[in-house]
Amino acid sequence: MSYIKFDSSKLSKFVHENELPEIQAMVTAADEELRKGTGAGSDFRDWLELPTKYDHDEVSRIQRAADKIKSDSKYLITIGIGGSYLGAQMAVNFLHPNFYERKNQATQVEFVGNSLSSSYVNDLLNLMGDDDFSINMISKSGTTTESAIAFRIFKEKLIEKYGEKEANQRIYVTTDKAHGALRHEATVNGWESFIIPDGVGGRYSVLTPVGLLPIAVSGGNIIDILNGAADAQNEYTDPDLEKNDAYRYAALRNILYRKGFTTEILENYEPNLRMFAEWWKQLAGESEGKDNKGIYPSSANFTTDLHSFGQYIQEGLRNLFETVVKLDAPASDVTIPSADKDLDGLKYLEGKALDWVNTKAYEGVVLAHTDGGVPVMTVHLPDESEYSLGYLIYFFEVAIAISGYLNGINPFNQPGVEAYKTNMFGLLGKPGFEEIGKKLNKRL
């Protein structure tokens, strides 16, 4: 039985018994495309065996670098955008208590270079003040606009504070092994560097140095994460839908999609899973949104969002289905206290555990939404450990890859991402894009 429990029992009114057996042949074909490399994008499948074939020496270097950063820095400024930061921030948020960074006891991992907001950059600079810090620049090329600007700003501050020689000892880069501007700069300046494997795309890179260094600096056990992912790798190999929950999830979401359920909402009942949804949205959206088709990935944080757009989910357009990541055992719990008077009407809950109440809310929502015509699936996560996180990451990675092939697209490229960049470069006046800029300015 899988470590992660996948519950699709509430789909009976939406998916008939015959439909999973009938899609099995397509799933088997998709599995062959993925495993044998016969499908589109086959050069970017190295994440498949990454948990069991990672570079042990490099992971040891990551741990040593993390120890050094924790010993000499109050902040690790992690610079990257998209897959270069989402996985790391997701993991840092998941693995630590809410508000942990406000205790100011451990090295704080802060993220920048994921927007072009001047206020955000200045707020981070003001937060750091004169405290010691190091930089982890994450980029294949080193020329991604958002990250490159942030790197220039924080590198300048680093040199101003420490001088160039010591600053070079506080810059850690995660980049291509041989090519690109960042690789060249790292070689020239002697920065410690870690490799983004050629066969791993950004949205699949959290289990590479891209995610592992920031996670290790935050205090996360990266070996346990890799072990969880390794066990998931071994678990999700059989294409039989009766034996592979990750493939079953992929198949069911495609069955629902073909019936007009075109938006998937990934939901949680724990605030420290919010960034997990952001990571998942890139994984799903960038993998599947191509050729004018694909499931639209959205997210909701319950019970919070039940008081905002829960009304729409319950009674709005019936193109939605939900996948809940339900944490079965939170890291801590609290008992609802007794009171002399029942002014708030909570006497019936006195002495109950708050997580029990949270679980009953989840159960009530599932029943209400399915009654309202919204299909709901649940991925049950046992706890908030590193092992569980690694397992969960791999579950969704392999499921989305299979889902992409089921829908007849290349799940490993992202050609549409370049469109905004071309326009932005033209409007900014980047050399080589002047003519594009002139045409765009006429349209504005």
Side-chain angles (χ1 to χ4, degrees):
M1 186 176 181
S2 178
Y3 177 76
I4 289 175
K5 180 184 176 184
F6 175 63
D7 181 7
S8 59
S9 62
K10 299 301 185 291
L11 295 184
S12 57
K13 64 184 288 187
F14 307 100
V15 178
H16 300 135
E17 289 185 4
N18 63 295
E19 292 187 84
L20 273 175
E22 287 174 358
I23 203 175
Q24 178 65 71
M26 294 177 62
V27 171
T28 301
D31 173 78
E32 183 168 324
E33 287 186 285
L34 181 64
R35 303 292 176 178
K36 295 184 178 180
T38 58
S42 60
D43 290 343
F44 287 90
R45 298 176 303 114
D46 286 359
W47 58 272
L48 264 174
E49 297 183 338
L50 186 63
T52 54
K53 293 185 177 180
Y54 64 87
D55 187 330
H56 289 259
D57 290 337
E58 184 159 52
V59 169
S60 295
R61 282 203 306 118
I62 288 171
Q63 292 175 313
R64 290 194 296 270
D67 289 340
K68 178 181 181 298
I69 293 167
K70 288 189 284 187
S71 71
D72 66 16
S73 299
K74 174 66 179 296
Y75 297 97
L76 174 64
I77 306 304
T78 303
I79 302 173
I81 194 168
S84 294
Y85 93 98
L86 280 168
Q89 188 166 16
M90 166 270 287
V92 170
N93 285 17
F94 176 87
L95 294 172
H96 299 290
N98 297 293
F99 318 116
Y100 86 101
E101 72 278 1
R102 299 183 188 182
K103 294 183 178 181
N104 296 324
Q105 295 175 344
T107 300
Q108 296 182 33
V109 181
E110 302 292 344
F111 296 88
V112 70
N114 48 51
S115 76
L116 291 169
S117 169
S118 55
S119 296
Y120 184 95
V121 169
N122 278 313
D123 289 347
L124 180 53
L125 289 169
N126 290 332
L127 172 69
M128 293 164 52
D130 197 42
D131 289 326
D132 289 317
F133 73 101
S134 296
I135 293 173
N136 177 206
M137 172 61 172
I138 306 169
S139 175
K140 256 294 196 183
S141 64
T143 59
T144 304
T145 305
E146 294 90 340
S147 302
I149 290 173
F151 188 38
R152 181 175 289 201
I153 292 169
F154 284 87
K155 181 172 60 175
E156 180 184 63
K157 181 174 175 62
L158 197 72
I159 293 171
E160 287 177 355
K161 181 173 176 61
Y162 298 106
E164 190 166 352
K165 184 176 180 180
E166 185 177 346
N168 285 339
Q169 303 304 308
R170 291 175 171 269
I171 297 175
Y172 303 81
V173 300
T174 308
T175 188
D176 188 88
K177 64 181 178 182
H179 305 291
L182 187 58
R183 165 54 59 198
H184 173 74
E185 198 173 1
T187 301
V188 170
N189 293 288
W191 300 334
E192 182 158 11
S193 62
F194 302 97
I195 295 170
I196 303 174
D198 289 336
V200 180
R203 57 188 175 275
Y204 283 86
S205 67
V206 61
L207 300 178
T208 75
V210 169
L212 296 180
L213 179 58
I215 294 169
V217 172
S218 79
N221 188 323
I222 58 177
I223 299 299
D224 284 353
I225 292 175
L226 290 167
N227 287 341
D231 285 348
Q233 177 188 323
N234 293 327
E235 174 73 23
Y236 303 125
T237 56
D238 194 325
D240 187 341
L241 291 174
E242 294 298 321
K243 301 176 181 178
N244 190 325
D245 280 347
Y247 282 26
R248 188 179 182 89
Y249 163 65
L252 287 168
R253 66 198 297 271
N254 274 270
I255 291 170
L256 291 169
Y257 172 63
R258 287 157 173 75
K259 294 185 176 189
F261 295 102
T262 56
T263 295
E264 180 176 11
I265 308 175
L266 192 80
E267 298 165 354
N268 66 76
Y269 284 75
E270 296 290 339
N272 65 349
L273 274 166
R274 289 181 178 181
M275 280 305 301
F276 185 88
E278 297 303 310
W279 170 80
W280 173 86
K281 282 192 286 190
Q282 187 203 10
L283 179 69
E286 207 168 72
S287 295
E288 295 189 297
K290 294 155 196 171
D291 299 332
N292 297 315
K293 56 186 177 182
I295 299 167
Y296 180 78
S298 183
S299 64
N301 309 296
F302 289 168
T303 58
T304 304
D305 288 337
L306 291 171
H307 296 262
S308 53
F309 68 95
Q311 168 64 37
Y312 187 94
I313 297 173
Q314 187 69 47
E315 295 184 342
L317 190 64
R318 300 297 77 183
N319 66 337
L320 310 173
F321 69 96
E322 301 168 278
T323 301
V324 183
V325 177
K326 180 63 174 70
L327 181 64
D328 288 340
S332 60
D333 207 347
V334 61
T335 300
I336 299 171
S338 300
D340 293 335
K341 297 182 179 180
D342 191 28
L343 298 177
D344 52 14
L346 294 179
K347 191 169 186 61
Y348 75 106
L349 292 178
E350 290 178 356
K352 301 290 187 182
L354 185 55
D355 183 60
W356 179 83
V357 177
N358 199 25
T359 297
K360 293 305 172 185
Y362 149 74
E363 292 171 352
V365 170
V366 170
L367 294 175
H369 287 184
T370 53
D371 287 346
V374 181
V376 182
M377 300 178 281
T378 301
V379 178
H380 285 275
L381 191 64
D383 56 36
E384 295 179 81
S385 66
E386 285 91 341
Y387 180 88
S388 290
L389 179 61
Y391 213 107
L392 186 66
I393 288 169
Y394 197 89
F395 173 92
F396 280 110
E397 285 183 341
V398 75
I400 294 299
I402 288 293
S403 185
Y405 281 134
L406 284 175
N407 206 18
I409 55 93
N410 177 353
F412 304 121
N413 67 351
Q414 54 277 344
V417 174
E418 301 304 316
Y420 94 88
K421 294 181 182 179
T422 299
N423 287 352
M424 179 177 69
F425 293 154
L427 293 170
L428 289 171
K430 183 175 181 177
F433 292 81
E434 294 90 348
E435 290 303 315
I436 293 174
K438 290 177 182 178
K439 293 177 181 179
L440 291 174
N441 279 306
K442 289 180 181 179
R443 294 171 53 190
L444 292 175

